[in-house]
Amino acid sequence: MIPAKFDYKRAKTVEEAVQLLKESDGEGTILAGGHSLLPLLKFRITTPGLLIDISKIEGLKGARVEENRLVVGALTTHYDVSKDELILEKIPALAKAASVIGDLQIRNRGTIGGNLAHGDPVADYPAVAIALDASLKVVSEDGEEDIPLEGFVLGPLITSIPETGVVTEVSFALPPAHAKQTYVKFFHPATAYPVVGVAVIAGVDEKNEIDFIRVGITGVGDVAYRAEEVEDALEGQTPTAELIDEAAQLATEDGDMGEDLFASEEYREHITKVFVKRALQEVLL
């Protein structure tokens, strides 16, 4: 497929990108890594009048800690997220999710900001992001604001980003130092997208009771969700195989299961419970 005709400009600063979006009167689209955008262009699902390349803007890469949050620059590639020492130390589940996105070529070009701003229901990052209260820093003609990821994605490829908005950072709440973390996924055999992806961050105190538990699930419906019923069943309890099995049966209570040619709603419900159980066992037993 050949994309519709469009103009191309490379922005040197975030402010210039915002101005170009403003001048495009709704016809501008941001290009970062491009691996989410290019297929939409080729199939003419998206037909922008102007493509605004922000890939060379300085200062939008790398990770740092600010107070109780880990902040990652929007242009940080999936490969760099998977290898960054600070991310590996503070939120290894995020690094693990990045390491299983697509293939090596995608991981070398795709970016964390573009991935989350895209609003793809079968992305890997949202499981970790929703579990750790992630927010996106967005700069627009109205200024700068932090938008919580929960509620940002309204549906498949539909987000609440302002028309002139550019994502510059993604931040995550830091879990307690004693918490263990994982991300597990069931790969779609053709695309490597998660048919289900599960992030679990859990801590057990000196009394052998679960004092911190977060479970995020992606891939099974239109938006990622927190499995709060699972969390409520586990918090304050002593982890056992039986408790984990019972809690995993609640994994679909907070989300809506999708259905397609690959997986029925009933199948997605089943594998969601299976993979939540596996993730819980990995960090709690």
Side-chain angles (χ1 to χ4, degrees):
M1 296 293 292
I2 300 174
K5 186 177 180 179
F6 57 82
D7 292 326
Y8 169 91
K9 291 186 178 180
R10 174 173 285 173
K12 296 179 181 178
T13 65
V14 173
E15 293 72 22
E16 183 182 355
V18 170
Q19 184 62 31
L20 288 170
L21 283 170
K22 183 179 179 181
E23 293 171 357
S24 72
D25 293 325
E27 295 297 316
T29 296
I30 294 294
L31 170 68
H35 278 281
S36 296
L37 177 61
L38 290 180
L40 300 184
L41 293 174
K42 289 183 177 182
F43 284 103
R44 300 199 179 192
I45 296 172
T46 296
T47 55
L50 173 64
L51 211 56
I52 303 165
D53 187 348
I54 66 169
S55 62
K56 301 300 182 182
I57 295 178
E58 297 293 331
L60 299 185
K61 296 181 181 180
R64 66 186 187 277
V65 170
E66 286 188 359
E67 298 179 352
N68 62 341
R69 297 186 71 84
L70 177 72
V71 181
V72 184
L75 293 183
T76 308
T77 65
H78 309 318
Y79 177 82
D80 287 340
V81 171
S82 73
K83 299 297 184 181
D84 187 279
E85 292 185 3
L86 186 61
I87 295 174
L88 285 165
E89 176 190 352
K90 299 295 184 180
I91 308 183
L94 182 64
K96 188 174 182 181
S99 74
V100 294
I101 292 175
D103 55 30
L104 184 59
Q105 187 176 30
I106 289 173
R107 292 193 291 274
N108 279 333
R109 292 292 300 171
T111 65
I112 187 171
N115 183 283
L116 290 171
H118 188 54
D120 195 331
V122 290
D124 290 278
Y125 285 132
V128 182
I130 205 76
L132 292 177
D133 300 320
S135 66
L136 308 179
K137 180 169 286 186
V138 177
V139 177
S140 70
E141 62 179 321
D142 297 321
E144 186 178 278
E145 62 178 322
D146 286 310
I147 304 178
L149 184 68
E150 187 169 4
F152 173 77
V153 180
L154 307 176
L157 310 183
I158 303 171
T159 72
S160 61
I161 191 168
E163 191 171 87
T164 61
V166 177
V167 176
T168 60
E169 295 177 350
V170 184
S171 72
F172 305 81
L174 288 172
H178 70 286
K180 295 182 179 179
Q181 308 177 29
T182 193
Y183 175 73
V184 297
K185 73 186 271 190
F186 175 37
F187 290 76
H188 190 292
T191 65
Y193 286 127
V195 180
V196 59
V198 179
V200 172
I201 302 96
V204 178
D205 64 18
E206 65 278 359
K207 298 178 182 178
N208 199 30
E209 295 177 350
I210 300 168
D211 63 349
F212 184 89
I213 178 71
R214 296 290 186 274
V215 181
I217 298 174
T218 189
V220 297
D222 288 347
V223 295
Y225 67 93
R226 278 267 302 274
E228 294 183 355
E229 291 284 342
V230 175
E231 295 171 1
D232 291 344
L234 293 171
E235 191 163 9
Q237 304 296 313
T238 299
T240 64
E242 293 76 15
L243 177 68
I244 287 172
D245 185 57
E246 292 174 2
Q249 299 308 306
L250 303 172
T252 60
E253 294 297 312
D254 296 292
D256 296 321
M257 300 294 107
E259 187 168 13
D260 55 30
L261 292 175
F262 180 79
S264 66
E265 180 179 342
E266 292 77 15
Y267 182 65
R268 276 194 163 85
E269 287 180 353
H270 173 70
I271 61 170
T272 298
K273 294 173 184 178
V274 168
F275 275 77
V276 168
K277 180 178 178 179
R278 291 181 183 179
L280 291 170
Q281 288 174 331
E282 183 177 333
V283 298
L284 288 173
L285 295 182

